[in-house]
Amino acid sequence: MSISMSSSSAATTPLTHLNPTATSQISAFPTSLSLPTTSPTRPLSITCSSSTLQTQTSTTTDRVFNFAAGPATLPENVLLRAQSELYNWRGSGMSVMEMSHRGKEFLSIIQKAESDLRSLLYIPPDYTILFLQGGATTQFAAAPLNLCSSPTDAVDYIVTGSWGDKAFKEAAKYCNPKSIWSGKSDKYTKIPNFDSLNQTPGAKFLHICANETIHGVEFKSYPTPAGQKEVLVADMSSNFCSKPVDVTKFGMIYAGAQKNVGPSGVTIVIIRSDLIGYAQAITPVMLDYKIHADNNSLYNTPPCYGIYMCGLVFEDLVEQGGLAEVEKKNVRKGSLLYDAIDGSKGFFRCPVEKSVRSLMNVPFTLAKPELEAEFVKEAAKEKMVQLKGHRSVGGMRASIYNAMPLAGVEKLVAFMKDFQARHDHA
Ligand code: PMP
């Protein structure tokens, strides 16, 4: 029996409009079928009465400058590309959200994402890249579970902010961690001098948080771990792919995607392959790097759509000329904002020591804290949102990840100057 369907041609037309001002008409799949009562030997004519969804594609001018720490702003061209491919990915007839993770289409997506990331960070072949779930928080446990063979193994942590502290505390369940330096007494505004570190002989790894998202403290160079295998482990969640990094200095790098490279739900682990395969016996399969490495991150259903989005971001970073170019843009944006803060004669203040200020998360306070709520409110009216500092530290924080355009920082700086002019009557 052949069934001929008459439905709107729009339903099969790929949405290829990259023009952000275009209005698209999507005819939804049939919501009701009227089956004629004719002889079954004749071809059935099925009429699809489809409901027509009018979707208004938002224009770029509708968008705000989003200074959120994460989930965070994504590159506009990546969002528009994803939009154009959402309904029918490159002629496959389905969305990436609908694809089998074992099908050739998705395999091509994850492989391309991996190879672009490898080329961006010059990741050598003896390092394994994993696309996992559970956020960076899961890696706080997974790192000691995989890198320590016994819960009594010694591990060192340098604690430069809340995230490093959380990692340290979680590790205590699976190994014997020691905080060999903490910036807590200085309200997490510093990075230690590496020569003065008292590392534990035989420690299985040395853990750092490369960029503290809440406190705005960023390592500009890296300590050498004392352990025999020299395993430096870094949480790079909030500065991943913001600048070139010599991956060979690290045993393992991990990052939640939702700041610089994609949506939440994807966690990237880059690990020296010789460190894989020694997980503690109690390690759940989902946290065992060997299981994921042996299965090319496809042991179970991975966060497919998120990986696709990360892939689009990686492609965009490659097209921008790689991470050296990206870093130049980030330095320019960071300098503009820090100069505005430092040049405000104390009206705005950044507590972080100048040499270790983050290029991604810029915390600042107002000399008159009573004005902070007004600052945030007025900025939002000007379409600059999410400028309130983390609840644990207060003040303001502007996260200016790769995808924050220079225009966003320029607008913020102009607003800060105007705000000061209107309120600085001291
Ligand atoms: N590490 C850092 C540096 C972070 O900024 C965050 C999230 N803000 C985390 C870890 C926790 O990440 P997730 O929410 O993905 O578990």
Side-chain angles (χ1 to χ4, degrees):
M1 179 175 73
S2 75
I3 299 178
S4 68
M5 286 178 71
S6 74
S7 65
S8 157
S9 63
T12 52
T13 306
L15 297 173
T16 51
H17 53 274
L18 273 172
N19 175 1
T21 57
T23 301
S24 66
Q25 285 194 354
I26 302 174
S27 292
F29 282 116
T31 51
S32 68
L33 300 175
S34 53
L35 289 169
T37 53
T38 46
S39 155
T41 53
R42 282 177 50 201
L44 270 177
S45 170
I46 299 183
T47 319
C48 299
S49 72
S50 16
S51 70
T52 302
L53 285 179
Q54 294 280 350
T55 59
Q56 172 73 50
T57 308
S58 67
T59 63
T60 49
T61 50
D62 290 337
R63 281 175 62 79
V64 293
F65 286 121
N66 177 7
F67 292 92
T73 191
L74 284 167
E76 214 160 71
N77 60 331
V78 164
L79 292 174
L80 292 169
R81 169 109 179 256
Q83 181 186 46
S84 78
E85 296 182 340
L86 179 82
Y87 185 65
N88 180 353
W89 181 81
R90 300 180 201 177
S92 64
M94 57 187 146
S95 169
V96 174
M97 277 181 266
E98 303 167 302
M99 283 173 187
S100 162
H101 58 295
R102 306 203 185 277
K104 64 178 186 328
E105 294 92 348
F106 184 71
L107 290 184
S108 74
I109 289 172
I110 192 169
Q111 283 160 6
K112 171 88 164 54
E114 181 180 329
S115 82
D116 280 348
L117 178 59
R118 215 173 260 285
S119 75
L120 279 170
L121 279 165
Y122 297 102
I123 302 172
D126 58 331
Y127 279 72
T128 299
I129 300 174
L130 303 174
F131 292 97
L132 306 176
Q133 308 196 51
T137 305
T138 302
Q139 298 311 313
F140 296 167
L145 278 167
N146 281 272
L147 302 176
C148 299
S149 47
S150 147
T152 57
D153 282 353
V155 172
D156 287 340
Y157 280 71
I158 298 176
V159 179
T160 52
S162 308
W163 292 110
D165 189 49
K166 282 195 172 161
F168 166 65
K169 287 184 173 135
E170 182 73 350
K173 298 175 190 166
Y174 308 107
C175 64
N176 181 17
K178 186 171 168 197
S179 166
I180 58 164
W181 189 90
S182 168
K184 192 169 183 186
S185 57
D186 287 313
K187 298 196 171 152
Y188 295 128
T189 52
K190 295 188 165 106
I191 300 273
N193 175 341
F194 302 150
D195 295 334
S196 67
L197 292 174
N198 194 5
Q199 296 192 50
T200 309
K204 284 291 167 76
F205 62 85
L206 172 64
H207 183 281
I208 62 166
C209 176
N211 183 70
E212 284 285 353
T213 321
I214 296 172
H215 296 90
V217 178
E218 183 171 16
F219 279 78
K220 306 294 176 181
S221 58
Y222 304 102
T224 305
Q228 199 192 354
K229 286 190 176 174
E230 293 200 353
V231 182
L232 179 62
V233 174
D235 174 358
M236 286 196 188
S237 294
S238 49
N239 66 353
F240 191 59
C241 287
S242 67
K243 59 184 177 183
V245 163
D246 181 357
V247 171
T248 63
K249 286 202 167 12
F250 297 85
M252 174 184 156
I253 290 168
Y254 63 94
Q258 69 271 20
K259 289 139 197 328
N260 246 344
V261 297
S264 60
V266 182
T267 311
I268 292 161
V269 168
I270 300 167
I271 179 166
R272 223 170 67 202
S273 304
D274 65 293
L275 299 172
I276 298 177
Y278 304 100
Q280 294 181 41
I282 58 156
T283 308
V285 285
M286 279 303 287
L287 301 194
D288 189 333
Y289 298 149
K290 179 157 172 45
I291 304 251
H292 291 293
D294 287 351
N295 290 279
N296 301 315
S297 303
L298 298 169
Y299 174 69
N300 73 328
T301 318
C304 299
Y305 197 79
I307 292 169
Y308 156 73
M309 288 296 293
C310 290
L312 293 187
V313 172
F314 297 149
E315 211 172 301
D316 178 58
L317 296 175
V318 170
E319 276 163 21
Q320 285 185 49
L323 299 186
E325 289 307 310
V326 169
E327 183 183 32
K328 281 185 205 158
K329 294 178 192 170
N330 287 332
V331 168
R332 189 156 169 219
K333 288 185 287 175
S335 309
L336 191 62
L337 187 47
Y338 283 116
D339 285 351
I341 293 167
D342 294 341
S344 71
K345 302 203 169 75
F347 188 81
F348 298 104
R349 214 178 80 75
C350 171
V352 181
E353 201 171 88
K354 281 192 180 171
S355 61
V356 294
R357 285 175 169 180
S358 168
L359 282 185
M360 298 285 99
N361 311 97
V362 181
F364 57 97
T365 52
L366 280 174
K368 299 176 185 168
E370 66 278 12
L371 290 176
E372 286 176 2
E374 197 175 330
F375 181 93
V376 171
K377 204 166 140 199
E378 281 189 23
K381 269 198 209 139
E382 298 291 330
K383 295 191 165 186
M384 289 175 286
V385 304
Q386 299 286 338
L387 281 161
K388 200 169 179 320
H390 190 271
R391 58 192 180 281
S392 64
V393 294
M396 255 73 66
R397 172 177 51 172
S399 294
I400 50 173
Y401 297 117
N402 289 350
M404 172 57 66
L406 178 62
V409 180
E410 285 171 343
K411 184 170 176 178
L412 176 61
V413 165
F415 171 75
M416 287 164 71
K417 289 189 173 151
D418 179 63
F419 188 88
Q420 180 172 0
R422 284 185 287 113
H423 293 92
D424 198 7
H425 309 301

